Amino acid sequence: TTAAPRPAARNFTLNFTLTNLRYTADLSDPRSRRFISTVKVINHYIDLLFQRSSIGSVYTGCKLMRFRAGRARDNTGIDTICSYQTNGSLAKFNREKLYHELSSMTEGVTKLGHYSLDKDSLYVDG
């Protein structure tokens, strides 16, 4: 007998800006308490979104790559790499569909949990 092929892992990027998280130097240090605690909270909110999305059954997680200073003083940009497993039930990754789902689930790209989002900052690329 031949083993069934394992689904392949695929990555996509997710970027957005929080307008009520002030960027400070400790957010650039992966060893800082603020970095670690903020990553946990952001990952929790991202996981909740994707679990309710069309890729929820194949979503395997996101890794927060970095925090970056936003254009405004109180803004912090978030850059993540997210993954999903390809399988027969997900014909093709549709970044536009996923973008619209995320936009809807974040109230028009305005809320992520207790964070406020820059409505023009959501970016999904697969």
Side-chain angles (χ1 to χ4, degrees), residues 74-87:
D74 289 336
N75 293 0
T76 297
I78 311 288
D79 297 329
T80 66
I81 301 289
C82 302
S83 302
Y84 65 95
Q85 296 289 326
T86 60
N87 67 19

Side-chain angles (χ1 to χ4, degrees), residues 1-124:
T1 57
T2 308
R6 290 182 52 161
R10 300 278 189 237
N11 294 328
F12 63 97
T13 59
L14 174 69
N15 308 83
F16 53 92
T17 300
L18 303 175
T19 60
N20 62 338
L21 176 64
R22 183 175 292 212
Y23 180 82
T24 56
D26 55 348
L27 283 175
S28 67
D29 180 3
R31 297 174 310 259
S32 77
R33 286 181 137 179
R34 185 160 189 238
F35 180 95
I36 293 166
S37 65
T38 306
V39 165
K40 285 180 184 177
V41 172
I42 298 297
N43 282 342
H44 170 75
Y45 290 136
I46 291 172
D47 286 346
L48 287 176
L49 287 176
F50 282 116
Q51 289 167 1
R52 297 185 325 217
S53 77
S54 61
I55 69 165
S57 64
V58 294
Y59 168 73
T60 57
C62 289
K63 178 176 169 113
L64 197 144
M65 301 306 291
R66 74 179 181 127
F67 293 105
R68 58 185 153 71
R71 285 182 229 127
R73 181 175 151 180
D74 289 336
N75 293 0
T76 297
I78 311 288
D79 297 329
T80 66
I81 301 289
C82 302
S83 302
Y84 65 95
Q85 296 289 326
T86 60
N87 67 19
S89 66
L90 184 67
K92 181 181 177 208
F93 179 80
N94 185 331
R95 73 180 184 90
E96 289 182 32
K97 178 181 179 181
L98 185 58
Y99 172 88
H100 289 293
E101 289 174 350
L102 297 177
S103 175
S104 176
M105 289 187 279
T106 58
E107 300 179 27
V109 192
T110 60
K111 288 189 65 112
L112 179 66
H114 65 271
Y115 292 108
S116 298
L117 295 169
D118 176 337
K119 68 179 182 65
D120 297 320
S121 70
L122 182 64
Y123 180 76
V124 177

